[in-house]
Amino acid sequence: MVTSDGEHIDTQSSARLLRHAVGATERALPGPSPRSRASSPHTGLWPKGGVDLKGKRVAVVGTGATGIQVIQTIAPEVGSMKVFVRTPQYIVPMKNPKYSQADWDHW
């Protein structure tokens, strides 16, 4: 593959499985892939029971609003993560405070 900047990227030696999706118009692909044991949950159809990502290799496609939220949420628990993005965006940590039960009770 050659990017618009002329960078050559070897796409044949880095993945055993590639799932193609084009965003919201693409049919969701829940559950395991027919060729691997890996699952590929879509953020719009996230399983209610959650997804166990502890120590696993994870790929996130896109850094839109949902991608940004998913990346910072799962980063502490995954073994490794690759993020695939067409155009880099400027991102800063949210630094949201953690509220205690006493804070919630006060409100």
Side-chain angles (χ1 to χ4, degrees):
M1 175 188 310
V2 180
T3 68
S4 61
D5 295 330
E7 178 185 0
H8 290 267
I9 300 172
D10 178 10
T11 59
Q12 295 187 12
S13 64
S14 59
R16 290 187 334 234
L17 173 70
L18 174 65
R19 279 210 152 157
H20 178 265
V22 293
T25 60
E26 180 68 19
R27 178 175 66 85
L29 300 169
S33 160
R35 292 188 177 175
S36 79
R37 292 173 291 143
S39 65
S40 56
H42 188 282
T43 53
L45 297 171
W46 201 257
K48 290 183 181 184
V51 178
D52 181 15
L53 300 174
K54 290 182 183 75
K56 294 187 179 174
R57 294 183 314 162
V58 174
V60 177
V61 179
T63 57
T66 302
I68 297 299
Q69 293 173 49
V70 167
I71 291 164
Q72 68 179 348
T73 302
I74 67 173
E77 69 181 81
V78 300
S80 66
M81 181 186 329
K82 291 199 182 265
V83 179
F84 298 92
V85 59
R86 182 178 55 220
T87 306
Q89 298 182 22
Y90 183 74
I91 304 166
V92 296
M94 291 182 5
K95 300 198 185 271
N96 286 343
K98 299 286 184 191
Y99 294 109
S100 69
Q101 187 59 47
D103 293 326
W104 287 106
D105 293 342
H106 176 72
W107 292 327

